[in-house]
Amino acid sequence: MEKNKGITLITLIMTVIILLIIAGLSINYGINTYKSSKVMKFETYMKILQKKVDIMIEEGIDYTTVGTALTNGQKDRLQAIMPTIDTSEPQLRYFSSDNIEEVFDVPEVYDEIVINFANRDVISLNGVEKNGVMHYVEYTLH
């Protein structure tokens, strides 16, 4: 009787299957981690912007000197996000990513923000998805 040395086909197949299972779990975990980090980043910079807006209002800064007035396209996007908001209010100001870093000193925010200086609302025009639902303001994430 001859002794066969080496890997059997069944052992090889089982090893490949185990490696595929481990790879699938790793990819799934990585995707979930990425999604939750996006939500955490959104929540963090929205809280920071909210605090900075509160400080600006308490210091009496004229809101017309920061940001820009909303264009019709931005008003339409905002109306689609928050149908109850009156987009004709003059206290609504638009901030691009560059404006956010310049005015609020918050770097690496790649978002478009509308701030309602009448009631201190900070609204993202891009939003973030959490559990299959889009969120445009920080307080809806909880």
Side-chain angles (χ1 to χ4, degrees):
M1 187 177 224
E2 235 179 87
K3 282 190 171 184
N4 290 332
K5 292 184 180 180
I7 299 175
T8 64
L9 184 58
I10 293 177
T11 306
L12 182 62
I13 290 173
M14 291 300 293
T15 304
V16 169
I17 289 172
I18 291 171
L19 289 174
L20 287 173
I21 290 170
I22 291 171
L25 292 173
S26 298
I27 290 170
N28 186 36
Y29 179 74
I31 290 170
N32 289 338
T33 302
Y34 175 74
K35 286 179 182 178
S36 66
S37 71
K38 275 180 71 173
V39 171
M40 287 178 65
K41 180 180 179 183
F42 177 83
E43 188 172 359
T44 301
Y45 73 72
M46 291 294 279
K47 283 181 181 179
I48 291 170
L49 290 173
Q50 184 68 61
K51 295 293 182 195
K52 298 235 180 189
V53 167
D54 291 343
I55 291 169
M56 287 175 72
I57 291 172
E58 289 171 12
E59 290 177 352
I61 293 175
D62 182 12
Y63 67 85
T64 60
T65 62
V66 294
T68 58
L70 271 67
T71 64
N72 288 335
Q74 292 161 347
K75 287 180 181 180
D76 292 342
R77 284 175 63 193
L78 184 60
Q79 193 71 52
I81 293 167
M82 301 186 89
T84 58
I85 198 164
D86 181 10
T87 57
S88 65
E89 289 185 32
Q91 296 92 346
L92 292 173
R93 302 299 286 177
Y94 169 81
F95 295 87
S96 67
S97 296
D98 295 334
N99 294 133
I100 293 168
E101 185 168 359
E102 180 183 312
V103 174
F104 299 104
D105 196 29
V106 181
E108 297 182 23
V109 174
Y110 306 108
D111 203 347
E112 297 175 278
I113 303 292
V114 173
I115 297 176
N116 185 347
F117 282 95
N119 60 10
R120 301 179 182 199
D121 276 346
V122 179
I123 306 159
S124 167
L125 292 181
N126 298 334
V128 68
E129 183 180 344
K130 180 180 180 184
N131 299 329
V133 178
M134 289 299 294
H135 296 272
Y136 299 95
V137 289
E138 178 268 328
Y139 53 82
T140 62
L141 288 168
H142 305 290

